[in-house]
């Protein structure tokens, strides 16, 4: 099998992080993300600093991937003109921040990242129905990752910026 060939999809369940999830072996190759998952994720989740959702094989508790969400407020000048006009009065654009997402190295080509992203976007839509949010935002790790998010519809706040957003109405209209 070619090293670049996509591996078959792995069926996973995506669920909120709990004390039984095994994060000890998680390694996506990005030290900051690995450290957070192994050492800080549960504490931050339990303190409601972020909400973390993990991907596990059905019937197991070994974390193959995860993402975290937190509420945020964007400056109106950071987003599109329509949002600037819509939120100028309150001087803040409500958003959901995809703080972190990672997939363990052995599963990177098994669609877990896509499943996590789909779940995060669907969850952002659900949150926006209860609390109101204009966009989901994130910080891409580098230009390569930013190019991936651009294909999903995210746009940079400014040209060449790794801080990106996707208006939630675009997700709603595509589902």
């Amino acid at each position: 099998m070619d090293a670049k060939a996509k591996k078959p999809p792995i069926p996973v369940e995506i669920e909120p992080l709990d004390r039984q999830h095994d994060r000890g072996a998680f390694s996506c190759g990005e030290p900051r993300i690995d450290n957070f998952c192994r050492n800080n994720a549960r504490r931050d989740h339990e303190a409601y600093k972020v909400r973390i959702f993990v991907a596990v094989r059905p019937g197991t508790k070994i974390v193959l991937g995860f993402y975290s969400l937190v509420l945020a407020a964007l400056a109106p000048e950071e987003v599109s003109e329509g949002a600037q006009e819509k939120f100028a009065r309150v001087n803040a654009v409500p958003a959901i921040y995809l703080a972190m997402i990672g997939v363990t190295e052995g599963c990177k080509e098994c669609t877990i990242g896509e499943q996590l992203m789909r779940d995060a976007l669907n969850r952002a839509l659900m949150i926006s129905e209860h609390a109101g949010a204009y966009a989901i935002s994130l910080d891409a790790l580098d230009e390569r990752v930013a190019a991936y998010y651009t294909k999903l519809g995210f746009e940079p706040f400014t040209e060449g910026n790794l801080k990106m957003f996707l208006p939630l109405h675009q997700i709603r209209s595509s589902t």
Side-chain angles (χ1 to χ4, degrees):
M1 178 187 246
D2 178 50
K4 298 263 184 194
K6 205 164 188 119
K7 295 179 183 177
I10 294 177
V12 294
E13 295 172 345
I14 299 174
E15 55 196 34
L17 178 67
D18 67 34
R19 289 180 175 269
Q20 286 73 47
H21 287 113
D22 179 0
R23 299 168 287 119
F26 184 85
S27 177
C28 70
E30 177 59 42
R32 186 174 63 102
I33 295 173
D34 293 342
N35 180 61
F36 176 79
C37 183
R38 288 188 215 131
N39 302 312
N40 303 312
R42 194 179 83 220
R43 182 191 67 226
D44 287 359
H45 180 79
E46 289 176 352
Y48 283 82
K49 286 181 168 180
V50 297
R51 301 312 288 160
I52 297 170
F53 300 89
V54 296
V56 296
R57 286 182 191 255
T60 72
K61 288 293 190 175
I62 298 170
V63 174
L64 302 176
F66 79 99
Y67 70 86
S68 61
L69 296 176
V70 66
L71 298 176
L74 307 173
E77 62 272 7
E78 292 180 314
V79 294
S80 66
E81 278 185 39
Q84 288 176 23
E85 293 168 15
K86 189 175 191 177
F87 297 101
R89 232 180 16 171
V90 292
N91 205 28
V93 178
I96 297 155
Y97 181 62
L98 179 62
M100 213 169 274
I101 187 168
V103 174
T104 195
E105 287 186 287
C107 296
K108 285 197 186 226
E109 299 298 322
C110 300
T111 75
I112 292 174
E114 290 91 342
Q115 292 175 65
L116 286 166
M117 182 58 81
R118 189 175 322 109
D119 192 77
L121 295 176
N122 287 333
R123 202 168 300 272
L125 286 174
M126 216 178 340
I127 292 166
S128 73
E129 293 299 323
H130 296 277
Y134 173 76
I136 185 166
S137 65
L138 56 81
D139 291 295
L141 283 174
D142 55 35
E143 292 295 331
R144 181 186 57 78
V145 174
Y148 169 77
Y149 289 127
T150 299
K151 288 179 187 172
L152 296 178
F154 283 82
E155 37 187 296
F157 287 116
T158 57
E159 189 70 30
N161 195 332
L162 297 178
K163 292 179 182 288
M164 306 178 82
F165 75 100
L166 174 62
L168 292 172
H169 67 82
Q170 289 182 11
I171 301 168
R172 270 187 205 93
S173 66
S174 69
T175 55

